[in-house]
Each structure stands twice: as C-alpha cells, then as structure tokens.
Amino acid sequence: MAEAGSFADRVKQQADIVRVIGEYVRLKKSGQNFTGLCPFHGEKTPSFAVHPVKQIFHCFGCGKGGDVFSFVMEMEKCPFPEAVKVVAEKCGIAIPRPKERTPEERKENQQRAALIEIHREAQAFFVRQLESTAEGRAARAYLEDRGLNAETIARFGIGYAPSGGDVLLRQLKPKYADKLLVESGVISRDQSGARLFDRFRRRITFPIANESGKIVAFGCRALGDDLPKYLNSPETPIYSKSNVLYHLDRAKEPIRRQDFAIMVEGYMDAIAVARAGIGNVVASCGTSLAEPQIKLLGRFTKRVVVNYDPDVAGQAATERSLTLLLEHDFEVRVLALPAIGDKKADPDLFIREKGADAYIKVLKEAPPYVDYLIARARQMDLSTGEGKQRALNFLMPYVQRIPNRLLRSEWATRIAQQLRIDEPVLRAALNKSATERRGEVKVAPQLVGKPAKQIERRLIRMLAEAEGFKKELAQRLQHGRLYEGLETEKVFAALIVAGLSDEPIPATEIGAQLDERERRVFFEILFEDAQEPTWEEAESCLDALRRRQIEQELAKVQKTIEANPSGAGLRELLERKQELMKQLTAAGQPG
Ligand SMILES: [Zn+2]
C-alpha cells in the first residue's frame, strides 16, 4: 500500500484514476461516476464504475475493485512497485532512481536502456545516410517516385541502410560490446560466429516505435529487387512482433477521439493513410494479427476497420484477424478496396491513384464483416448442395463467434436469404455449435454480496464520508456496540477504527482490510447515488440500530422465560424484560 509521504503516495495523489483507467477501458460519464465495460470479465452492458473523487473503481458484475494501482496490477499482471511506475509514467510524474534492485533487474534495465540507445543511434545514422550520401539520394528518388515527399520522410523518420555491409557497425562498435550489438538485431553475426555485419543493407528503413514512442525495431524494404522484399528486426529483449502495432504511438489519441481504428498490413499502407489526414491508422506489420496486438488495440477502441491487401494472402489474413477480433468483442468492418484497372489495390496504391477523399469515402462505406464474408461466400459455387455446404462451413465459425445472441440470429436470417439456404436447417446447425461455444464468464455466486439493509448502507456511507461528524458517529456506534451482529459488522469495525483515527484513511485501504465479499459490499455502497448526509439522519439510523439491539435482547429473554417458566432466576429475567420494554418505548417508534 501507498505509505504516507512515499513516492507511491505522491503518485496516487497526483494521478487521475479516470485518465489512467481510460487508457484501458472506454469510460462514459454517468452521473458522478464513469462507467464502462469491465476489462476483467466478459460483459455486454457496463457494470464497471470509476469514482473520480474517491479515486476508486468497482465492478458490480465480478466484484473486482480498488485504487489506480490495484487496477494496473490486475491489467498488466505486475507487482505493486511496477504498477506505481506505470501510473507515474502515464501521468508524467518523474520517477526517482530506484535505491535497491536485484542485480539481475539492474542488469536487465541497463541492457534495455542500451538497446534503446543503439536504436536511437541507428535511426540517426539511417536518416543521415538518406540525406547525405550518393546511395541515399538514389533511395530518396525512389521514395519520391512513390509519392513520399521530404515532409513525409521526415515525419515518419524514414532512412536508408547503405550497401557497404559494415558502415553502421563501424559507427557502433567503439561504444558497445559485440554481444549487445547482436542482441539489438541491427547487427548480425555470420555463421562461423567470427564476423559481425549490418543486418540491413541497401534498404529503406522505417523505424518501429513501441506504444510510448521509443524506437525498438526497424522494418526495411529492399531498394531494388533484392530478396526478401521486406526484412524486419528479429525478436529482441525490447521488441516482440506480436506486441507492437506500427504507428500506434501516434495513432492512440486520434483512435480514442474517433473511437475506431483502421488496421492495415504494412508500414507503407499506414503511412499512406496517415498522410491522407487519417491519423487513426495502425499496421499489424505482418499478415496476421496476433492476440497481444488485439489486446493492445482494445485499450483504445473496440471498433476497427480491417483494410488488408486484396490478394489471397491478405484475404486469408483478414479472415484470421476477424476470428480473433470477434473473440475479443470488437465491432469489425472490412474495407476491401475496389481494383484500379486490373490492379488489386492496397491502401497505399489506392490513395496514390485515387486520392485521400476517395479513400475516406470507401472507408465510410466499409460494410460490417458479415457482409464482407457473405460476399466472399457468394463467390463460391452455390448451385449444388455441396457448394452450399462449403459456403456454410466457411461462414459458420464467424457467426458462432458473435457473442450477442440477437445479432447472431439476425445474421443467420441474412445468410439464409443470401445463400438461399433453408433457414431452419441453418438455425439448427447454429444452435448445435452455439452450445459448444465458450460462454461469457459467469460470476461466482458466493461473491455476489447480499444487499445490506438500507440503514446499514447509509451509516457505512456516512462513516466513510461525513467529514463533519464521522468521528462522533464512530464513537456512538462503538460505545453502544450497535453494529455487532450486523451482516456488515466487519465493514463497520474497519470504518470505526478509521473514523476514530486522526489521519484520513482512504477507502481502498479500508477495503484492503476486508475480505472479498465485504469489500465488495463496501465499494458498492460508496458508488451508490446518495444525498448529502445530515447528523439528524445519522441519529435516526442510530436509533433504529438501538431498537434492533433491544428487540433482539428482548426476544432472547422471552425465549429463556418460555423455555423454563418455573426455573431459578425467573424473577431477574422478568425484571430485565420490563426494563427492555421501557427502553424500547423510550427509543421511540420507527419513523
Ligand atoms: Zn467485472
């Protein structure tokens, strides 16, 4: 937990939980809270809430809740110190140098920092080559021929890797150990292991940045007819292909603003689309989209237009990506660009030939993915039963992945009409496989808190928030032991201790002392819309608890008397009963 005065505490004071969580979950203002779809369990209607004032979150579905750090720990699957760092970085809070680390951690961090530095130097080198060498100028002419002017080249950091074979190596070697250079991926080692050389030669270089804008890899295109046409950085300690989306560092703001992303295949496509003034574009940099990339994108939007190349590989990639995107509840449209003459058009070619406006027009008209798939199925031979079966087999896996039952049913009808398939037959097939399909995550019933009674809920809220009288209230509750035996007894006990203390204790810390079920009830109460409490109301709640206490004792006394009407001590019991009846009258009637 964040100790008072510690760095974590300072971060928590400064961090805006809505902004941090907003990077992972799309939040909408709803009353005093923000709500969205819970990232921890599958759901269709938002039951996840963030409280900007109390700086806490809570899911009414699965019950997860806590402060900004527990959220990041859960999302990033990282320990507390790491979560503090993540939040600090997101909020632009300078991180003090860590005092102690394990030697391994320190070594790893140094290695990562050195690898980033190598990439920074390599990037500067490639850019210089493009600008100031004869070879580079030829590369520049090639780029200009493809419609990339100086402004675009500078904006996207495009550079050139010369053909020499060791030009970059000679520059880096004095500063870095051979082993580190090879680990960076920009330098390779020959098979004998004796000789080092530049991995990228005679190629246009495109820097690939991670989400926070640090260059971690390069994508390189051959200048001539050299093979392979594209050569990228290998996997390194700072780069994993499936974890990075090209251009996301710049696209994340536009994506969040417009609440959708355009997914293209390569960096040239992304650059072409971004140049056309459409900033919310990312490239998967490879023919198929990997699950970590989808999760990454899902932090910014759940709506995507897939615009892959129209060739066979691109179609297959589109269909593979669809499967994954649907599983992650994305709303997907597919843009299949019309051919230009007899040429199949990728986004780069299309924009060059037809212009940005034409692209924006087809983008707006991009059909939902099911329409795209039906169109693909209709290209199959539907004149025979076998052909129809094939088309159906092609479509069915996608339809089954639609998590929404109503939508699934709607699409079944459309497919039946379009493919001229008997609808009941199709529905039977669909239902059969629907039962085999993974359902939404069910909430464990024992976790669902029983609703505490209204009076308890009000008192808990007051104990947590009524700055003017919560101490007095805590004293009264403790003195009369009024909360004992309540369903929420433990919540009261924790709040009373906090209320009596002179230091303000945040809700998350109180929550941390409770077990899961109790914390859940507590957070739910904090999120309820409620009126400003008054002392008058507090007193009437206290009265109600007092009556309840008396009534309970009265019932007990009565039971003892009835169980043994002639026993010893009857006299005392009867006296006690009288006394309690009197107290009850004095405590007044519930009103
Ligand atoms: Zn949840």
Side-chain angles (χ1 to χ4, degrees):
M1 282 297 109
E3 255 174 65
S6 66
F7 176 62
D9 186 44
R10 259 176 43 225
V11 172
K12 198 169 159 173
Q13 300 292 329
Q14 290 177 44
D16 174 2
I17 192 170
V18 176
R19 222 189 92 194
V20 174
I21 295 186
E23 286 209 9
Y24 300 85
V25 179
R26 283 194 295 139
L27 294 173
K28 267 207 196 104
K29 186 120 172 64
S30 157
Q32 55 173 351
N33 304 328
F34 287 80
T35 57
L37 294 176
C38 177
F40 304 120
H41 82 280
E43 63 173 8
K44 299 271 110 204
T45 47
S47 46
F48 178 84
V50 182
H51 202 298
V53 180
K54 299 188 186 82
Q55 292 283 306
I56 53 175
F57 74 93
H58 180 68
C59 173
F60 289 83
C62 68
K64 285 232 160 58
D67 62 4
V68 66
F69 298 137
S70 38
F71 180 86
V72 171
M73 282 163 75
E74 189 75 33
M75 276 315 281
E76 305 280 354
K77 298 272 170 262
C78 68
F80 180 75
E82 188 62 35
V84 174
K85 259 179 66 186
V86 170
V87 174
E89 267 170 17
K90 285 190 194 303
C91 301
I93 302 165
I95 300 164
R97 281 187 172 283
K99 275 180 282 192
E100 279 176 303
R101 284 190 181 280
T102 64
E104 292 81 39
E105 271 178 329
R106 202 178 310 133
K107 223 180 117 193
E108 251 174 54
N109 280 340
Q110 280 170 353
Q111 185 204 32
R112 291 171 66 89
L115 291 176
I116 299 265
E117 185 56 24
I118 290 174
H119 278 81
R120 204 187 57 75
E121 282 195 42
Q123 169 63 11
F125 169 84
F126 292 143
V127 167
R128 264 199 319 276
Q129 292 291 314
L130 188 72
E131 278 165 6
S132 57
T133 64
E135 232 186 290
R137 277 192 286 277
R140 219 184 160 89
Y142 163 84
L143 287 171
E144 273 161 19
D145 192 46
R146 298 221 18 179
L148 300 181
N149 57 17
E151 190 253 319
T152 307
I153 290 170
R155 177 172 157 197
F156 294 95
I158 300 170
Y160 179 69
S163 55
D166 63 350
V167 196
L168 176 61
L169 175 67
R170 271 184 283 140
Q171 170 134 354
L172 296 173
K173 204 170 159 58
K175 293 188 221 164
Y176 302 97
D178 286 3
K179 187 165 169 279
L180 195 65
L181 289 175
V182 174
E183 261 166 5
S184 78
V186 297
I187 301 295
S188 298
R189 197 190 284 277
D190 73 1
Q191 280 189 334
S192 73
R195 201 178 64 86
L196 300 187
F197 57 93
D198 294 355
R199 172 186 294 269
F200 307 119
R201 301 175 303 279
R202 213 165 102 85
R203 283 173 183 273
I204 310 276
T205 61
F206 298 85
I208 297 172
N210 62 14
E211 188 203 326
S212 52
K214 293 246 182 358
I215 296 170
V216 290
F218 292 97
C220 301
R221 191 193 187 286
L223 192 54
D225 293 327
D226 293 0
L227 289 174
K229 192 168 158 194
Y230 291 99
L231 181 66
N232 293 348
S233 288
E235 304 270 309
T236 71
I238 55 168
Y239 173 65
S240 166
K241 203 172 94 182
S242 56
N243 276 323
V244 171
L245 285 167
Y246 178 74
H247 197 249
L248 180 65
D249 57 321
R250 296 173 188 205
K252 58 185 180 184
E253 276 316 309
I255 288 174
R256 200 177 288 136
R257 239 185 355 256
Q258 299 180 50
D259 194 13
F260 84 98
I262 302 152
M263 175 75 66
V264 296
E265 230 174 271
Y267 22 81
M268 284 300 278
D269 295 321
I271 290 172
V273 174
R275 278 186 69 210
I278 306 160
N280 53 329
V281 61
V282 292
S284 52
C285 277
T287 46
S288 59
L289 197 54
E291 194 160 10
Q293 290 175 315
I294 289 174
K295 285 189 175 162
L296 183 61
L297 184 63
R299 281 170 37 194
F300 303 96
T301 187
K302 281 284 192 184
R303 292 164 60 199
V304 64
V305 179
V306 178
N307 182 195
Y308 278 179
D309 292 356
D311 56 12
V312 177
Q315 274 176 356
T318 302
E319 282 144 29
R320 264 199 311 277
S321 305
L322 279 181
T323 314
L324 271 175
L325 285 164
L326 294 179
E327 271 176 2
H328 286 85
D329 287 340
F330 272 79
E331 188 187 311
V332 191
R333 292 188 291 143
V334 178
L335 173 54
L337 293 169
I340 296 173
D342 56 352
K343 267 192 286 187
K344 292 181 169 176
D346 57 25
D348 180 27
L349 180 71
F350 187 89
I351 292 171
R352 262 188 291 145
E353 298 279 325
K354 297 275 180 183
D357 288 345
Y359 185 79
I360 292 170
K361 184 168 181 291
V362 288
L363 180 68
K364 282 197 180 130
E365 291 162 358
Y369 74 97
V370 178
D371 284 321
Y372 163 84
L373 291 169
I374 292 176
R376 291 264 295 129
R378 288 185 62 162
Q379 288 163 8
M380 298 176 188
D381 172 22
L382 296 175
S383 62
T384 66
E386 260 174 38
K388 277 185 183 177
Q389 187 62 49
R390 249 199 318 277
L392 202 54
N393 289 347
F394 165 77
L395 285 173
M396 221 34 121
Y398 301 104
V399 183
Q400 282 155 19
R401 281 188 170 85
I402 307 172
N404 184 316
R405 201 163 52 88
L406 235 109
L407 210 60
R408 212 158 58 226
S409 167
E410 241 172 66
W411 286 118
T413 307
R414 292 195 45 187
I415 290 169
Q417 286 166 355
Q418 298 266 330
L419 301 188
R420 296 207 173 81
I421 292 169
D422 192 21
E423 197 171 326
V425 173
L426 185 132
R427 280 182 185 282
L430 195 59
N431 286 338
K432 183 175 164 288
S433 37
T435 54
E436 290 155 16
R437 151 180 177 278
R438 179 163 58 91
E440 283 193 19
V441 178
K442 290 273 189 311
V443 178
Q446 69 272 17
L447 277 178
V448 180
K450 269 190 247 155
K453 299 206 177 61
Q454 192 50 30
I455 288 169
E456 293 173 53
R457 299 180 87 92
R458 277 306 276 165
L459 281 170
I460 287 171
R461 184 77 181 245
M462 290 182 213
L463 274 174
E465 282 174 13
E467 294 306 330
F469 59 79
K470 68 180 185 187
K471 191 161 186 174
E472 164 95 27
L473 183 59
Q475 279 164 350
R476 297 273 284 268
L477 280 161
Q478 192 187 37
H479 184 252
R481 306 168 79 86
L482 292 175
Y483 61 97
E484 282 179 1
L486 290 178
E487 219 177 298
T488 48
E489 181 179 340
K490 288 194 178 127
V491 181
F492 271 95
L495 280 167
I496 287 167
V497 172
L500 293 175
S501 129
D502 290 322
E503 293 284 310
I505 298 177
T508 39
E509 239 156 88
I510 295 165
Q513 298 162 21
L514 302 171
D515 72 23
E516 183 53 33
R517 201 192 71 83
E518 289 152 355
R519 187 202 56 73
R520 222 178 136 156
V521 172
F522 176 45
F523 271 33
E524 276 178 21
I525 293 169
L526 291 183
F527 272 98
E528 274 169 4
D529 280 330
Q531 287 177 338
E532 196 70 17
T534 61
W535 178 245
E536 209 183 358
E537 190 196 356
E539 276 194 311
S540 94
C541 289
L542 288 172
D543 285 344
L545 288 188
R546 204 170 299 119
R547 269 196 308 276
R548 167 191 159 277
Q549 203 179 36
I550 300 167
E551 278 164 359
Q552 278 183 346
E553 198 190 336
L554 198 57
K556 220 165 92 187
V557 170
Q558 184 63 32
K559 225 171 151 188
T560 320
I561 296 171
E562 279 164 17
N564 197 359
S566 58
L570 180 63
R571 195 192 154 86
E572 284 81 2
L573 284 170
L574 286 171
E575 270 172 14
R576 182 69 188 147
K577 183 177 165 184
Q578 284 299 317
E579 170 62 25
L580 288 169
M581 303 266 281
K582 233 192 270 170
Q583 280 182 18
L584 198 58
T585 319
Q589 287 310 303

